[in-house]
């Protein structure tokens, strides 16, 4: 295992300490129980959004904590759900009296632990709503999931719901827009190489030199099929073909196109794939008016990418454009 | 070779097309000769900064084109210098009548081609100054360099000089601050894995499973020595030890600490290394007041990192904090 670490058991803690030091103006970090919160939390009278999940997907979720997006993020160990204790502590710390929205990727452990935390928070008088993201069209049920997995769409839900919370929408309205984005977004990923969880020291799966995994999960879970390596245009056509037919997206739709790197993919490949995706969508009359290209929901050093497509309406576009000030997304501030 | 591409000969062109589509609000891209310019260039009466070099180091340089940083960037083929024609075309396109500063990393081909372009531009009546960056303490002379290589310090020079140009400093003043940053910044890198240039299809070098290259160049050129993999704290101590003794940095210095990923390194490893670097510097009384952590000058999918340390003065700090609106760095806008 080749990694820049000191000890596999302290990787996430040391990384959190680094984040806290590098971004002290923006976030505060607690180590036990571990969570990242806005430095200025709680914001009185505003809905607070809390998300989280296993580490190893950075910048998701800690990189999205700040004005206009998350109030707090709860990182578990690498590829492992955070505990209810962590979620409770974060929820209490950032609650500003207007309720808390939990955004949860659909993995069994995450859903269970956030649900437990929601019940405990409610018992302490904090109003809590939960939105579960399940945007991955690749597979129904998988290694760690009943139903579809939550992947790239999560980033878009967090930004757009964060915009609604920042402008003062109440908990019902913030929850409603998060659910609307969740219902209109679809994703699918692929991998050229596996990744290695520090604690295990072994690659999550193996692929021959001429193979790739189509529909791979963000923990290296199996996707739809293992196929021979092919061109970027064919990869994009497979991913977008599945995405477009699923919602379905249609000619005349106005969309946000998000090409996401899995962590180890060079930027030029992501932009090349983005160009390929634009051609694919243009041929089908699907318009792209907002874009995101880069490493936003990763799988450690995995090489590969995912494509996410969101059918935009005017309100979503306005909230996407609203100011955001986080480690990983920043504009208008 | 595992890459998301269509054809090794069209990788950079297709990636540029993707960049143009994804960031049409910010940049315009020309393909022949290839350059990326601010969408609103030329800015009349302001100094224009042009940089460039081989592709494969993204977001450097194209990701730094925009308000408060570069007026244009000139991308060569992967790991290959751009031609004088490209530099001339970009220089002419963005010249606003107040002169053009060329920021060049110290590689023989780049220096030669930018020099040729500078002479031709001068002959056409555009006042041009050149600053060559050579901040890599790892080696003196190397595969493609007479003298030290230009690496991570380039990002800091481009941001700070860009701030000076944006506030209206004249060409002499913008050049002076670029030279001052260049003189006060030092870097060193390391690699856990090689990278593969699409056109060659073969890894740039080989490393055993338990080896790393200390002092590696951003094209995979050899560094100081190939050693057994060790802990993050020891890696950081080697890199920062060489950096600190070179300038030298001393107790009481106020610095910007930049931990840069080579492209394939997970974010948690970069933050872990940043934390380690903060401990190392704190023990020596060196203060860190500004930070940058992430993939900013990369080597395709190489796993590894570089550390850059800049001794700040008040003006550099002010210009670092000044608004910037580019693909890869954005704040205050």
């Amino acid at each position: 295992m080749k990694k820049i670490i000191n000890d596999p058991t302290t990787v996430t803690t040391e990384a959190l300490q680094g984040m806290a030091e590098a971004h002290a103006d923006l976030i505060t970090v607690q180590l036990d129980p571990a969570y990242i919160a806005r430095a200025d939390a709680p914001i009185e009278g505003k809905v607070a959004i809390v998300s989280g999940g296993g580490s190893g997907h950075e910048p998701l979720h800690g990189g999205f904590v700040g004005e206009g997006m998350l109030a707090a993020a709860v990182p578990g160990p690498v590829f492992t759900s955070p505990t209810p204790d962590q979620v409770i502590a974060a929820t209490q710390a950032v609650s500003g009296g207007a309720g808390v929205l939990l955004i949860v990727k659909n993995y069994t452990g995450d859903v269970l632990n956030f649900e437990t935390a929601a019940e405990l928070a409610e018992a302490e008088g904090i109003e809590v709503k939960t939105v579960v993201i399940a945007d991955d069209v690749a597979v129904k049920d998988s290694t760690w999931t009943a139903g579809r997995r939550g992947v790239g769409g999560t980033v878009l839900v967090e930004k757009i719901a964060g915009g609604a919370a920042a402008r003062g929408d109440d908990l019902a309205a913030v929850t409603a827009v998060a659910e609307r984005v969740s219902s209109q977004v679809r994703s699918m990923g692929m991998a050229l190489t596996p990744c290695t969880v520090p604690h295990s020291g072994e690659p999550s799966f193996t692929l021959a030199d001429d193979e790739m995994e189509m529909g791979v999960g963000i923990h290296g879970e199996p996707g739809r099929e293992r196929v021979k390596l092919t061109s970027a245009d064919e990869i994009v056509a497979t991913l977008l073909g599945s995405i477009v037919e699923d919602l379905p997206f249609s000619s005349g739709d106005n969309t946000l196109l998000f090409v996401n790197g899995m962590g180890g993919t060079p930027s030029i490949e992501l932009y090349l794939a983005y160009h390929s995706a634009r051609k694919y969508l243009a041929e089908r009359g699907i318009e792209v008016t907002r874009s995101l290209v880069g490493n936003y929901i990763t799988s450690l050093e995995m090489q590969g990418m995912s494509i996410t497509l969101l059918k935009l309406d005017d309100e979503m576009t306005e909230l996407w454009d609203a100011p955001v000030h986080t480690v990983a997304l920043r504009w208008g501030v």
Side-chain angles (χ1 to χ4, degrees), chain A:
Chain A
M1 173 174 62
K2 285 191 145 178
K3 292 189 180 293
I4 303 170
I5 62 175
N6 289 310
D7 174 342
T9 67
T10 57
V11 170
T12 53
T13 300
E14 289 176 73
L16 285 172
Q17 290 173 300
M19 271 201 82
E21 290 160 344
H23 308 293
D25 55 325
L26 193 57
I27 56 173
T28 58
V29 173
Q30 303 301 320
L31 296 179
D32 188 22
Y35 66 86
I36 298 167
R38 281 178 64 158
D40 57 357
I43 311 298
E44 288 303 323
K46 297 248 170 116
V47 171
I49 304 180
V50 175
S51 190
S55 293
H57 307 300
E58 290 70 23
L60 186 89
H61 298 271
F64 302 135
V65 172
E67 183 185 339
M69 212 159 165
L70 301 181
V74 183
V78 173
F79 294 179
T80 303
S81 300
T83 62
D85 275 4
Q86 290 177 260
V87 181
I88 282 281
T91 299
Q92 290 174 329
V94 300
S95 168
V100 174
L101 173 63
L102 303 179
I103 296 178
V104 185
K105 301 194 298 303
N106 189 34
Y107 298 96
T108 306
D110 289 359
V111 171
L112 197 69
N113 290 352
F114 275 86
E115 226 167 58
T116 303
E119 284 165 19
L120 292 168
E122 289 271 5
E124 295 188 20
I126 300 173
E127 193 185 1
V128 178
K129 297 280 183 197
T130 300
V131 173
V132 176
I133 313 299
D135 57 315
D136 188 345
V137 303
V139 292
K140 171 134 186 69
D141 301 335
S142 97
T143 319
W144 292 316
T145 324
R148 288 180 166 180
R149 302 173 297 213
V151 291
T154 313
V155 178
L156 311 187
V157 174
E158 292 180 358
K159 170 64 184 85
I160 292 171
R167 75 177 175 191
D169 285 13
D170 66 17
L171 183 59
V174 174
T175 305
V177 79
E179 282 171 345
R180 203 163 83 246
V181 175
S182 176
S183 75
Q184 301 296 310
V185 70
R186 296 293 185 275
S187 302
M188 187 164 154
M190 54 76 62
L192 295 171
T193 65
C195 58
T196 298
V197 175
H199 211 84
S200 94
E202 297 298 327
S204 52
F205 58 102
T206 54
L207 279 172
D209 280 352
D210 62 347
E211 282 182 336
M212 59 183 175
E213 179 81 24
M214 298 300 290
V216 73
I218 56 172
H219 313 91
E221 316 92 287
R224 282 191 183 178
E225 52 176 352
R226 186 159 298 188
V227 299
K228 294 287 175 200
L229 191 57
T230 179
S231 71
D233 285 346
E234 290 176 79
I235 294 169
V236 165
T238 300
L239 300 182
L240 272 178
S242 302
I243 288 167
V244 165
E245 80 173 13
D246 190 88
L247 187 65
F249 293 87
S250 315
S251 179
D253 281 354
N254 171 21
T255 65
L256 185 160
L257 171 61
F258 170 26
V259 174
N260 172 64
M262 290 296 196
T265 313
S267 170
I268 48 175
E269 295 178 36
L270 299 180
Y271 278 107
L272 188 153
Y274 176 89
H275 176 56
S276 178
R278 286 293 292 256
K279 284 186 294 183
Y280 183 96
L281 294 171
E283 282 162 11
R284 283 151 187 84
I286 297 169
E287 202 182 352
V288 175
T289 59
R290 295 293 183 278
S291 300
L292 188 65
V293 184
N295 293 312
Y296 292 100
I297 169 170
T298 64
S299 304
L300 298 169
E301 70 280 4
M302 186 188 284
Q303 285 183 47
M305 66 166 175
S306 59
I307 298 182
T308 295
L309 197 63
L310 168 64
K311 186 170 166 178
L312 286 167
D313 59 30
D314 289 347
E315 189 188 24
M316 287 184 211
T317 305
E318 184 188 323
L319 293 172
W320 176 260
D321 290 343
V324 61
H325 182 180
T326 70
V327 170
L329 282 186
R330 182 169 180 181
W331 52 77
V333 186

